[in-house]
Each structure stands twice: as structure tokens, then as C-alpha cells.
């Protein structure tokens, strides 16, 4: 995939430097300083003197996106900078900045929703199930699967952005593939969370209530665990908040433990 990239070594260096993207984060340009630092090796291959200075100023402007998406945007930007270096125009300079701004918002939202809110949760639920069985593979599976996918996105996204350009991402939005993937991952996440409730949340009851529990459990296995989760989600969203809910659950655990003695 690197065959058609004129400055392969600088391109690879650009990718590796992107991992320090958030090291220079600040309130004015957010990740802009890190983006410019990552782009610098490639810019040096394209420009000299005042042109290099202008291009670096352009690439250190405000920038903020999901870290896993930066590779795709860098690839697109590198291609745009090549075209600008070959045939420099004022419109070309403006287009580079506008394209970065147009991509960083949608890709940030996509990365947060797919990777952090869906994919990470799915992997965590699978890892927790391994942990319930006393298997050390639980946390290792989550770390390797999530960060391996993250690294693949950052590295391969750079080449994809360079070769395919922004229209590749737009085609995914237009034909509904992103929406279908989001819907499918949401359904998988909810199904796995339901399994986790059944598997791991056990609510003990006194002996006097075991008869009722067994009758209801014949129709709805682990109904108390499910009820606890539903009530907890409702309280966490409207009344108690997450911290208050954790305190409530801790107190409830102490009370139930005392009653079961």
C-alpha cells in the first residue's frame, strides 16, 4: 500500500509521531500542536523555507477528534499537501484547512460512538464472562482486542485516507453502512449486557422468600438481578446520579449480607 506514496519513510514517521498527538494538548488549539508535530516529517519532504513555515502554521491550527481517527485525517491531509506543493494556490491552502475541519467532527462522533460506547463495552462484557470463570484471559482479551483494533485503525487509516480520500468516508455515510454497523453493534451490546446480568448479578433472599423467588425464577431466571439493574439505571439517570447509586448499592449489599446471616 506504500508503493504509490512518494516519501514512504517520512509517511511512516508521520504515523508513529501521531501517537504523541495528545501530548501537547492545550485549550487554544486542542490537538493542533500534536497534529503539526506528526505532519512535520512529511511537510519537510514537500516544502522548504517560508513555504514549510506556512504549511506548519496551517497544520498546527485548532484540531480535535477521536485519537483513533487521526490516521485517516493525516493521510487525507498528506495527499492534499502534496497537491498544494505541486501546484500552490490560495484556494488549495484554504481547502486543506476546511477539509480537516469537515472530517474531524464526524470522525470524532463516529469513534466515540462505535469504539468507546459500543465496541469497548462488547469486549468488556466478554472479558468479564471470562473473569467469572476465573480465567486470566478476561482482562488480557479486552486489552489485546481493543488496543489491537485501535492500532490497526490508526495505522491503516493513514494509508486509507491517503489513497481513497475523504469521499471514501462519505460513501460509508451515504450508503448507510455506518448506520447499519452502529445498529448491529448496539443490538449485540444490549444482548451481551443482558447475558451479563443473568450471569453475574445475584441477589440473595432470606429463606422465608425463597419459595416466591423459585416460582418467579421458573418463568424469569434471575429476575431479581434484572429488576435491580432496571431500577439502578432509572435512579442513576434521574435521581441519584452514578456516585449516589454506587453508595446506595454498597449500603444495600451490607443490609442484605446482615439479613442473610
Amino acid at each position: 500500500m506504500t508503493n504509490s506514496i512518494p516519501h514512504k519513510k517520512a509517511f511512516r514517521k508521520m504515523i508513529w509521531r501521531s501517537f504523541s498527538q495528545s501530548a501537547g494538548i492545550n485549550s487554544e488549539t486542542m490537538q493542533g500542536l500534536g497534529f503539526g508535530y506528526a505532519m512535520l516529517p512529511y511537510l519537510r519532504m514537500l516544502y522548504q523555507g517560508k513555504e514549510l513555515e506556512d504549511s506548519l502554521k496551517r497544520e498546527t491550527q485548532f484540531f480535535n477528534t477521536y485519537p483513533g481517527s487521526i490516521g485517516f485525517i493525516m493521510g487525507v491531509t498528506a495527499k492534499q499537501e502534496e497537491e498544494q506543493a505541486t501546484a500552490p494556490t490560495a484556494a488549495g491552502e484554504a481547502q486543506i484547512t476546511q477539509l480537516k475541519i469537515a472530517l474531524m467532527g464526524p470522525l470524532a462522533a463516529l469513534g466515540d460512538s462505535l469504539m468507546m460506547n459500543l465496541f469497548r463495552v462488547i469486549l468488556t462484557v466478554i472479558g468479564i464472562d471470562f473473569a467469572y470463570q476465573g480465567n486470566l484471559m478476561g482482562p488480557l482479551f479486552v486489552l489485546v482486542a481493543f488496543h489491537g483494533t485501535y492500532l490497526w485503525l490508526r495505522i491503516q487509516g493513514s494509508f486509507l485516507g491517503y489513497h481513497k480520500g475523504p469521499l471514501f468516508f462519505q460513501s460509508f455515510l451515504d450508503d448507510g453502512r455506518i448506520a447499519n454497523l452502529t445498529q448491529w453493534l448496539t443490538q449485540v451490546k444490549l444482548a451481551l449486557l443482558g447475558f451479563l446480568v443473568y450471569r453475574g448479578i445475584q441477589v440473595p433472599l432470606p429463606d422465608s422468600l425463597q419459595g416466591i423467588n423459585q416460582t418467579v425464577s421458573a418463568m424469569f431466571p434471575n429476575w431479581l438481578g434484572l429488576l435491580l439493574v432496571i431500577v439502578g439505571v432509572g435512579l442513576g439517570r434521574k435521581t441519584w446520579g452514578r456516585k449516589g447509586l454506587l453508595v446506595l448499592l454498597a449500603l444495600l449489599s451490607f443490609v442484605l449480607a446482615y439479613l442473610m446471616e
Side-chain angles (χ1 to χ4, degrees):
M1 190 175 284
T2 62
N3 292 335
S4 59
I5 299 177
H7 309 292
K8 303 180 184 65
K9 185 176 180 180
F11 194 86
R12 293 191 184 98
K13 187 178 292 186
M14 178 188 75
I15 294 174
W16 294 119
R17 284 167 73 112
S18 73
F19 287 96
S20 60
Q21 167 196 3
S22 298
I25 197 167
N26 58 82
S27 58
E28 182 179 356
T29 62
M30 297 301 288
Q31 300 167 342
L33 187 60
F35 190 90
Y37 172 77
M39 290 292 300
L40 185 56
Y42 209 74
L43 296 177
R44 282 175 173 160
M45 303 302 296
L46 302 175
Y47 303 106
Q48 299 293 329
K50 184 68 165 56
E51 291 181 342
L52 176 60
E53 182 180 340
D54 292 341
S55 67
L56 188 57
K57 287 180 180 179
R58 184 166 58 244
E59 300 304 346
T60 52
Q61 294 177 8
F62 179 86
F63 181 81
N64 191 34
T65 192
Y66 172 67
S69 306
I70 189 177
F72 182 82
I73 300 176
M74 280 197 316
V76 172
T77 304
K79 185 67 174 181
Q80 293 288 319
E81 290 287 2
E82 277 184 21
E83 296 174 358
Q84 175 64 14
T86 304
T89 61
E93 291 183 7
Q95 185 181 15
I96 293 172
T97 302
Q98 292 168 3
L99 195 55
K100 282 171 55 182
I101 295 174
L103 286 173
M104 68 182 185
L107 283 173
L110 188 63
D112 288 338
S113 60
L114 286 181
M115 286 295 292
M116 305 303 290
N117 297 336
L118 292 177
F119 186 63
R120 183 180 62 168
V121 174
I122 291 172
L123 294 179
T124 302
V125 171
I126 297 174
I128 290 175
D129 186 58
F130 277 119
Y132 277 146
Q133 304 172 40
N135 194 333
L136 186 60
M137 285 299 297
L140 293 178
F141 168 79
V142 177
L143 289 172
V144 172
F146 179 79
H147 291 289
T149 304
Y150 177 83
L151 288 173
W152 183 86
L153 284 175
R154 290 194 70 149
I155 296 172
Q156 294 303 317
S158 303
F159 296 104
L160 195 62
Y162 182 89
H163 290 292
K164 300 294 185 180
L167 294 180
F168 175 80
F169 173 66
Q170 187 63 40
S171 67
F172 273 82
L173 294 178
D174 292 341
D175 63 13
R177 278 180 285 180
I178 294 294
N180 292 336
L181 178 61
T182 302
Q183 183 180 10
W184 181 79
L185 287 175
T186 301
Q187 293 171 351
V188 172
K189 181 184 79 169
L190 293 175
L192 288 175
L193 286 174
F195 170 76
L196 183 63
V197 170
Y198 170 77
R199 176 91 171 178
I201 301 180
Q202 304 294 330
V203 181
L205 289 175
D207 293 338
S208 58
L209 298 177
Q210 286 299 328
I212 299 175
N213 182 39
Q214 291 175 1
T215 302
V216 179
S217 295
M219 297 180 289
F220 303 102
N222 199 22
W223 64 279
L224 280 172
L226 177 60
L227 180 63
L228 179 63
V229 170
I230 293 174
V231 172
V233 170
L235 291 175
R237 285 181 176 178
K238 296 182 179 180
T239 308
W240 293 83
R242 294 180 181 179
K243 293 181 180 179
L245 182 59
L246 288 174
V247 173
L248 178 64
L249 290 174
L251 293 175
L252 182 62
S253 300
F254 282 118
V255 172
L256 289 175
Y258 175 78
L259 292 176
M260 292 299 295
E261 289 183 353

